Amino acid sequence: VSCLGAGPRVSFAIEPQVAHNIHMNRTDIDHICKAFSGAKPADPATELDSWKVGGKMFACFGDRISGVCVKTQSVDTAHMLIDAGAATKAPYFHASWVLVSFEAAEDEIRHRLVASYDIIFKALPKRHREDILMSTDDHA
């Protein structure tokens, strides 16, 4: 699957789940995140355990949570997701961040990760975005 928009191209394979009770886990999230242009895992020894693009976090984990915290477009979007039961409030984060459980549907988690990445990527300075895309093209 390729996700194209104003941001960089993101490609990853969607493997069908055999049973509906299979939940995502940290390894699955890492696999998704490493496919994003310029995405890098933070060093959990010195930083929050997270994924970043351009030095800015778009996905974060915690020792006491079973899911991934992601940025949403707005506080209203976060409230809508929380009200709909698709996410919960991300502890210690701004109200525009939500916690998506590992038990959520795979496509929902993927969508939230792509959306969070796009929000953070698009907020980077233009030159930084161009450098990331050029670097990604050099390694393709």
Side-chain angles (χ1 to χ4, degrees):
V1 170
S2 284
C3 300
L4 297 175
R9 186 172 70 203
V10 178
S11 298
F12 49 83
I14 296 179
E15 298 173 12
Q17 291 185 345
V18 177
H20 293 288
N21 62 350
I22 297 175
H23 301 300
M24 298 286 283
N25 59 42
R26 174 59 190 274
T27 303
D28 297 326
I29 303 299
D30 287 346
H31 180 74
I32 294 167
C33 290
K34 73 181 177 184
F36 299 154
S37 298
K40 295 184 168 90
D43 179 2
T46 59
E47 303 176 281
L48 287 174
D49 190 7
S50 61
W51 277 88
K52 296 181 173 188
V53 61
K56 305 293 183 185
M57 183 170 46
F58 68 90
C60 187
F61 306 93
D63 292 339
R64 292 179 233 145
I65 60 174
S66 180
V68 59
C69 296
V70 293
K71 175 95 169 112
T72 66
Q73 191 64 38
S74 67
V75 172
D76 288 340
T77 301
H79 286 176
M80 182 213 47
L81 290 168
I82 292 166
D83 291 346
T88 58
K89 182 181 178 332
Y92 310 108
F93 281 86
H94 182 268
S96 61
W97 284 74
V98 295
L99 170 61
V100 181
S101 170
F102 288 143
E103 294 182 7
E106 180 180 353
D107 58 342
E108 178 65 20
I109 294 175
R110 284 182 187 275
H111 174 73
R112 288 288 126 223
L113 287 166
V114 169
S116 183
Y117 170 87
D118 281 346
I119 291 164
I120 301 303
F121 182 85
K122 290 174 186 174
L124 296 173
K126 182 179 180 183
R127 182 69 196 146
H128 206 152
R129 292 191 312 261
E130 291 171 349
D131 289 347
I132 290 169
L133 292 175
M134 287 176 44
S135 174
T136 303
D137 288 342
D138 291 343
H139 293 96

